[in-house]
Amino acid sequence: GLCVWGQANKLYTEKIHLTQKRAIRLLAGEHFRSHTSPLFSKLKILSLDELKFVEIATLMHSADTDTLPSAFENHFKKVESRTRQSTLNLFSENFKTKTNSQGQKMLKFLGPRVWNKIRRCKLLPQTRSKLLFHKKLKEFIIKKQLII
């Protein structure tokens, strides 16, 4: 769902974004022109962009743990990045296909970028549990330890 339609043109997602901000203000009992960033943090709710990031990252976690549905079996290519401290499981961002800006919103392109950003920051513990990964990632974003 959100991994796919969330990448739609901003013209289509802006109404959802504005509705989410309006709802946050109502929940917090704030003025209709109040800034929403502190309200999202205070209420521990992810914004639409943060939700998209988490859903894509969770999909890529499934790719990393080889638990993706068979339709995605060969969709992402793993590469190893060796550093002095450890080996990171990353996904190839090098594509031979030329694409426009809309094409770069495809999971094939966006997924590896999201995953590699998470792995390189080394904040999240490696786990095979999709639920634990999802929970920890949301916590890090809410605490602003991971900026998307």
Side-chain angles (χ1 to χ4, degrees):
L2 190 55
C3 290
V4 177
W5 69 258
Q7 303 312 317
N9 189 301
K10 198 167 191 159
L11 173 74
Y12 303 110
T13 60
E14 189 62 19
K15 285 183 183 179
I16 297 168
H17 179 71
L18 293 174
T19 302
Q20 185 190 34
K21 290 173 73 169
R22 188 176 305 131
I24 289 294
R25 289 185 189 107
L26 285 171
L27 284 171
E30 294 290 333
H31 188 266
F32 75 97
R33 287 192 175 176
S34 297
H35 289 286
T36 54
S37 292
L39 301 177
F40 278 104
S41 294
K42 178 182 169 186
L43 298 173
K44 298 182 180 179
I45 295 175
L46 298 177
S47 70
L48 183 61
D49 289 335
E50 292 167 337
L51 286 169
K52 289 188 286 189
F53 186 89
V54 168
E55 290 303 313
I56 292 168
T58 303
L59 178 80
M60 293 307 295
H61 176 268
S62 295
D64 187 52
T65 57
D66 299 319
T67 57
L68 274 177
S70 59
F72 289 101
E73 233 171 58
N74 299 314
H75 207 66
F76 306 107
K77 181 183 174 189
K78 284 186 183 181
V79 294
E80 282 190 358
S81 174
R82 296 185 185 275
T83 64
R84 282 186 234 174
Q85 294 84 13
S86 64
T87 300
L88 298 175
N89 289 329
L90 302 176
F91 285 89
S92 175
E93 295 181 34
N94 302 321
F95 298 101
K96 295 177 184 174
T97 310
K98 289 184 180 179
T99 185
N100 58 21
S101 62
Q102 191 63 29
Q104 291 178 3
K105 292 181 179 182
M106 294 169 48
L107 281 176
K108 181 178 184 179
F109 296 93
L110 194 56
R113 287 190 188 128
V114 166
W115 182 254
N116 295 345
K117 180 177 184 171
I118 291 168
R119 294 305 330 147
R120 286 186 181 117
C121 75
K122 300 177 186 173
L123 287 171
L124 289 170
Q126 285 190 295
T127 176
R128 291 199 55 81
S129 168
K130 185 176 178 178
L131 188 62
L132 181 61
F133 172 80
H134 190 87
K135 180 181 175 184
K136 289 291 183 187
L137 181 58
K138 284 172 73 172
E139 286 175 9
F140 278 105
I141 291 173
I142 287 170
K143 292 177 184 175
K144 303 296 182 203
Q145 291 175 314
L146 178 65
I147 307 298
I148 60 165

